[in-house]
Amino acid sequence: MVSIYELKPKFQKLLMPVVRFLHTLNITPNQVTLAACFLSIALGIVFYYNYTSIWIYIMIPVFMFVRMAMNAIDGVLAKEYNLKSNLGKYLNELTDVVSDAALFIPFILVLSQFEMTVVLFVILSIVSEMAGVIGETVSGERRYDGPMGKSDRAFIIGAVSVLLAFNIPIHDYLWIVFLISSLLIIINIYKRIKHGLEGAE
């Protein structure tokens, strides 16, 4: 199954003018990474206290795109200007998990009767990223196998938010979306472990 992550190289090329501009301002990759995380947490808090407001569901997909761009920018900055660091590796992995949790957890309020589907989605998202990171330890290669990788999850959350913003009656079916997404993440985890082990042979 194709993952949105496979489009990342083309997306990074489109962002090169922004990367060059940030470099002229002496902005570091770690600063971009931390900024994306802080903004995610802030929006997650706002979302939690305003989950009944239409405007929050307009902000979420817009921010998901901005965050995706920031996540690409920090990597390109590090690569193009030789700014890679061990701290950057830690920040890149840890802040992604924290950011996702902050943005996804408020959906338990939207799905008040099926909140466990959101909890399962969040937990499996974390396990998926752990499987990817451990793959690097085992085989020397960070695993990004799909389906329902980080970019795919961002797309799903953004799409759901757009539907909610337009008052499309999907509340009764949202738990199914989260459940199916969770099942796809399980496949994702299996593939990351399988391919990680194969790479170690």
Side-chain angles (χ1 to χ4, degrees), residues 160-172:
V160 164
S161 298
V162 168
L163 294 175
L164 291 172
F166 284 95
N167 281 319
I168 296 175
I170 61 168
H171 287 82
D172 293 340

Side-chain angles (χ1 to χ4, degrees), residues 97-195:
V97 172
V98 172
S99 297
D100 281 349
L103 292 167
F104 300 164
I105 287 176
F107 275 96
I108 63 175
L109 300 176
V110 183
L111 283 79
S112 57
Q113 294 182 327
F114 300 97
E115 62 270 13
M116 284 308 298
T117 58
V118 179
V119 174
L120 180 64
F121 179 77
V122 173
I123 291 174
L124 288 174
S125 296
I126 295 171
V127 175
S128 169
E129 296 311 305
M130 286 181 62
V133 173
I134 295 172
E136 185 172 9
T137 303
V138 173
S139 66
E141 181 182 3
R142 182 22 167 121
R143 301 305 313 180
Y144 293 101
D145 307 82
M148 207 49 63
K150 180 173 61 179
S151 299
D152 302 318
R153 296 193 295 269
F155 176 80
I156 287 293
I157 294 299
V160 164
S161 298
V162 168
L163 294 175
L164 291 172
F166 284 95
N167 281 319
I168 296 175
I170 61 168
H171 287 82
D172 293 340
Y173 309 100
L174 271 182
W175 70 273
I176 299 176
V177 173
F178 278 96
L179 185 59
I180 292 175
S181 297
S182 294
L183 293 174
L184 291 174
I185 297 174
I186 291 174
I187 296 174
N188 159 329
I189 294 169
Y190 170 77
K191 289 177 65 176
R192 292 185 180 193
I193 295 173
K194 181 176 182 290
H195 293 159

Side-chain angles (χ1 to χ4, degrees), residues 19 23 27-29 32 73-83:
V19 171
H23 183 63
I27 300 296
T28 68
V32 176
I73 287 169
D74 64 5
V76 177
L77 262 176
K79 182 179 179 180
E80 292 293 322
Y81 299 102
N82 195 28
L83 296 172

